[in-house]
Amino acid sequence: MNPLIYWIFLGLGIIAALVFLFLRVTRGGFPGLFSKAVASFFFVATGFAGALANPANSGFATLMLLGLVLSVIGDIWLDLKWIYPKDDNTFLKAGIVSFFFGQIAFCCAQFIFFDGWTLPRVLLPLGFAVGCTAAMFVLEKPMKFNFGKNKPILLIYSLTVTMNGWSALAVARYDGYEMIHWILFAIAGALFMISDMELLKMYFGNGNNKVRIIINHTAYYAAQLLLASTIMFVK
């Protein structure tokens, strides 16, 4: 398949994300939900286009596409939380579960298809992930969070997303910053952690404002488009 299709979908994904941001901030509701679904569709389409243009590693592509699809499902659940406030916590949990399994798929792509792992190399990002997650819960009150009854599911998810982020950064370093797909993965992992921290402030703190919304979704869609792009450049 012509690589141009990948670049077209990537460009459309960026445009769709910008349109969604505008509608999410100015209108919300179903226009925000619909435009979010479209923007999320395009990061999946970008991944599929990359897989067709570069069939070098179908196993890696399959795991990444699985993670992207699960992320789309999570996106829809989380936006339904705002549209149907009566069932907001149900939609919140459904979204977290979808993203959890998406992060598991991304982690598996790293640990299966990077062959430079050793026990110390695994323990380093794991230690950072445990430390970040523990700090978040220890500092819940000083940071003005209120996790309430969602603490168990948030603990599991936070450990997973921070592990994915730190291990992505570690893989790029262990690889010597030679392979483009691991560099993209590392940047995406860092952006995902930034996005989720902003999301915590929006959902469990007092930060649900336009600035938070823009930071959260800008980092999120940049991360997802970069993750989709790893498929195009994997060897």
Side-chain angles (χ1 to χ4, degrees), residues 64-233:
M64 295 302 293
L65 288 169
L66 176 60
L68 293 171
V69 170
L70 286 165
S71 296
V72 174
I73 297 171
D75 283 336
I76 295 172
W77 291 138
L78 289 185
D79 250 38
L80 287 173
K81 161 187 167 65
W82 302 111
I83 296 173
Y84 298 106
K86 185 178 70 174
D87 298 311
D88 63 339
N89 202 56
T90 299
F91 287 123
L92 173 66
K93 288 181 178 178
I96 292 174
V97 169
S98 295
F99 278 112
F100 167 77
F101 284 109
Q103 292 294 319
I104 291 294
F106 295 144
C107 277
C108 287
Q110 293 181 59
F111 281 91
I112 293 173
F113 294 100
F114 176 68
D115 58 6
W117 289 111
T118 62
L119 182 59
R121 286 183 168 187
V122 173
L123 292 177
L124 182 61
L126 178 60
F128 276 113
V130 171
C132 289
T133 302
M136 185 179 75
F137 283 87
V138 169
L139 299 174
E140 177 184 358
K141 289 185 178 179
M143 295 179 70
K144 298 181 180 179
F145 287 141
N146 181 18
F147 299 136
K149 58 186 178 182
N150 293 302
K151 280 185 179 180
I153 193 171
L154 284 173
L155 176 65
I156 296 170
Y157 174 74
S158 296
L159 184 59
T160 305
V161 74
T162 51
M163 179 60 186
N164 186 52
W166 285 112
S167 60
L169 292 166
V171 167
R173 175 65 183 88
Y174 299 153
D175 186 58
Y177 305 106
E178 292 184 0
M179 293 190 177
I180 295 175
H181 67 286
W182 292 132
I183 295 172
L184 296 177
F185 216 131
I187 299 170
L191 287 170
F192 230 117
M193 289 192 286
I194 292 170
S195 172
D196 276 4
M197 179 53 68
E198 294 302 312
L199 200 66
L200 284 175
K201 295 172 184 177
M202 291 165 59
Y203 285 3
F204 304 104
N206 297 313
N208 189 19
N209 54 52
K210 291 182 179 181
V211 174
R212 297 282 184 213
I213 291 170
I214 292 171
I215 295 173
N216 164 241
H217 288 101
T218 300
Y220 173 74
Y221 278 102
Q224 293 287 26
L225 287 169
L226 287 171
L227 288 172
S229 296
T230 62
I231 301 170
M232 176 65 186
F233 296 101

